[in-house]
């Protein structure tokens, strides 16, 4: 367990979090259109559930879930979830916390784990993203630290309750590295996308999705801008998955309006053809975006209140 501070004892209070029952399953059910020239526009998946998560701070609020599968030999329950408490917008509590489950509905703090698994020495943390690395038989957790700059940290878990000291893998001026999402496509083939919102953060007029590459998941290239963009709104938090069966990267992200931290719930869809890569997809690939409205966070918010718009690239 990584902690530079005495552990915080969890109280019997819970976070209520809305996520799809399965990220990949949901993508597969929503992204059902094989004809990219006729983008599918549909309602939210029918299997959205309100999850009950015990939080270390007792707030009953959590954000930014990320799920990874681990081998049975690594942990008895093969689905691992990271999320961060965010009580009433208090970033000081936004520390990565670990949950495990036999299904995508029931989540518990694993035996021997005292959340959070990481705490800031200064500033605050946010935006966890996890990847299982079969080469080292470890679960790798990336997360963002915010001090005088944006810092992307990596801790490596050899077991659910055993985590390394943090390693700094990327940094930039605030707030140019938001919501890192990492894909390991194979040995020596690592990719990290993140959102560059400039120095003003979520109140910026525009954002850019950037891509870094690595051969080991630790040393990363300088970022290059991608052309993953919307015409009038801008990506804010993003998650990318490699879909081997389609040989494509699929991105899911919410969008914000210019000059505001407000996320958009305006449904849109479109198909772009370009001679450049779109989040690493082959050149001249058609990406169709289908958006629908759902809730990102509860805990005082009505589950019927639109909180974010999710965009699904379709192949």
């Amino acid at each position: 367990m990584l902690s530079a501070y005495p552990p915080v004892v969890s109280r019997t209070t819970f976070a209520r979090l809305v996520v799809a029952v399965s990220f990949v399953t949901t993508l597969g059910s929503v992204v059902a259109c094989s004809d990219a020239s006729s983008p599918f526009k549909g309602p939210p998946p029918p299997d959205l559930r309100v999850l009950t998560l015990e939080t270390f701070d007792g707030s009953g609020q959590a954000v930014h879930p990320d799920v990874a599968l681990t081998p049975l030999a690594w942990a008895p329950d093969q689905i691992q979830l990271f999320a961060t408490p965010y009580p009433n917008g208090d970033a000081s509590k936004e520390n990565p916390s670990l949950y495990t489950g036999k299904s995508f509905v029931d989540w518990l703090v694993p035996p021997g784990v005292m959340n959070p698994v990481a705490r800031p020495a200064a500033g605050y943390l946010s935006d966890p993203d996890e990847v299982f690395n079969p080469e080292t038989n470890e679960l790798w957790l990336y997360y963002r630290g915010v001090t005088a700059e944006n810092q992307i940290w990596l801790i490596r878990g050899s077991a659910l309750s055993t985590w390394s000291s943090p390693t700094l893998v990327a940094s930039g001026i605030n707030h140019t590295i938001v919501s890192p999402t990492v894909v390991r496509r194979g040995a020596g083939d690592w990719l990290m996308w993140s959102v560059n919102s400039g120095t003003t953060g979520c109140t910026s007029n525009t954002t850019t999705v950037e891509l870094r590459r690595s051969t080991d998941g630790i040393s990363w290239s300088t970022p290059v801008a991608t052309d993953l963009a919307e015409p009038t709104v801008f990506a804010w938090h993003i998650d990318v998955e490699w879909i081997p069966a389609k040989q494509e990267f699929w991105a899911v992200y919410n969008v914000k309006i210019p000059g505001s931290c407000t996320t958009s719930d305006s449904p849109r869809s479109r198909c772009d053809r370009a001679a450049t890569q779109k989040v690493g997809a082959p050149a001249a690939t058609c990406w169709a975006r289908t958006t629908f409205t759902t809730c990102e966070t509860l805990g005082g918010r009505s589950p019927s209140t639109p909180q974010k718009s999710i965009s699904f690239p379709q192949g």
Side-chain angles (χ1 to χ4, degrees):
M1 168 66 68
L2 171 68
S3 177
Y5 301 87
V8 175
V9 177
S10 298
R11 294 180 287 182
T12 311
T13 51
F14 297 89
R16 290 162 60 79
L17 185 69
V18 170
V19 296
V21 171
S22 165
F23 175 73
V24 175
T25 300
T26 300
L27 281 175
S29 62
V30 175
V31 183
C33 177
S34 60
D35 180 4
S37 64
S38 303
F40 170 76
K41 295 176 65 176
D47 54 356
L48 290 179
R49 306 288 180 87
V50 179
L51 301 185
T52 299
L53 300 180
E54 183 180 0
T55 60
F56 73 88
D57 68 315
S59 68
Q61 301 178 44
V63 296
H64 208 100
D66 192 66
V67 172
L69 299 179
T70 52
L72 184 60
W74 192 84
D77 297 315
Q78 295 181 265
I79 314 170
Q80 318 306 332
L81 166 70
F82 274 96
T84 58
Y86 193 51
N88 301 310
D90 182 359
S92 70
K93 304 296 192 300
E94 203 174 359
N95 300 328
S97 299
L98 175 61
Y99 304 88
T100 190
K102 292 181 172 63
S103 73
F104 285 97
V105 177
D106 301 311
W107 300 92
L108 296 172
V109 178
V113 171
M114 179 67 75
N115 280 325
V117 300
R119 292 176 181 269
Y124 65 91
L125 306 181
S126 66
D127 304 349
D129 192 80
E130 56 181 318
V131 178
F132 186 79
N133 185 355
E135 294 177 89
T136 62
N137 197 39
E138 294 172 326
L139 185 61
W140 287 22
L141 175 68
Y142 298 85
Y143 57 88
R144 174 177 175 251
V146 181
T147 55
E149 63 177 358
N150 281 183
Q151 300 171 326
I152 306 304
W153 295 93
L154 165 66
I155 58 175
R156 291 167 282 188
S158 57
L160 290 170
S161 58
T162 306
W163 293 88
S164 70
S165 298
T167 299
L168 183 65
V169 299
S171 62
I173 61 174
N174 289 335
H175 293 277
T176 57
I177 315 178
V178 177
S179 186
T181 175
V182 176
V183 170
R184 177 192 176 276
R185 194 163 49 166
D189 188 8
W190 296 70
L191 305 99
M192 177 195 295
W193 291 264
S194 60
V195 174
N196 185 338
S197 60
T199 58
T200 55
C202 66
T203 60
S204 63
N205 288 323
T206 64
T207 67
T208 303
V209 176
E210 296 182 331
L211 172 63
R212 293 170 172 82
R213 295 180 181 271
S214 174
T215 58
D216 60 7
I218 299 173
S219 299
W220 293 89
S221 68
T222 56
V224 295
T226 73
D227 58 356
L228 180 62
E230 302 290 341
T232 59
V233 290
F234 301 92
W236 179 230
H237 281 60
I238 184 169
D239 194 50
V240 177
E241 294 286 335
W242 171 245
I243 310 300
K246 284 185 161 295
Q247 291 293 291
E248 293 174 345
F249 293 99
W250 286 10
V252 54
Y253 55 97
N254 67 335
V255 292
K256 62 178 258 8
I257 63 176
S260 172
C261 297
T262 302
T263 52
S264 171
D265 59 2
S266 301
R268 304 169 314 284
S269 70
R270 73 162 195 235
C271 178
D272 291 337
R273 293 187 182 274
T276 56
Q277 289 191 342
K278 218 171 259 298
V279 285
T285 296
C286 182
W287 287 73
R289 294 176 176 81
T290 297
T291 57
F292 62 83
T293 301
T294 185
C295 285
E296 180 182 72
T297 311
L298 296 182
R301 295 179 181 174
S302 166
S304 62
T305 303
Q307 296 297 336
K308 76 173 185 178
S309 174
I310 299 180
S311 299
F312 290 100
Q314 298 183 20

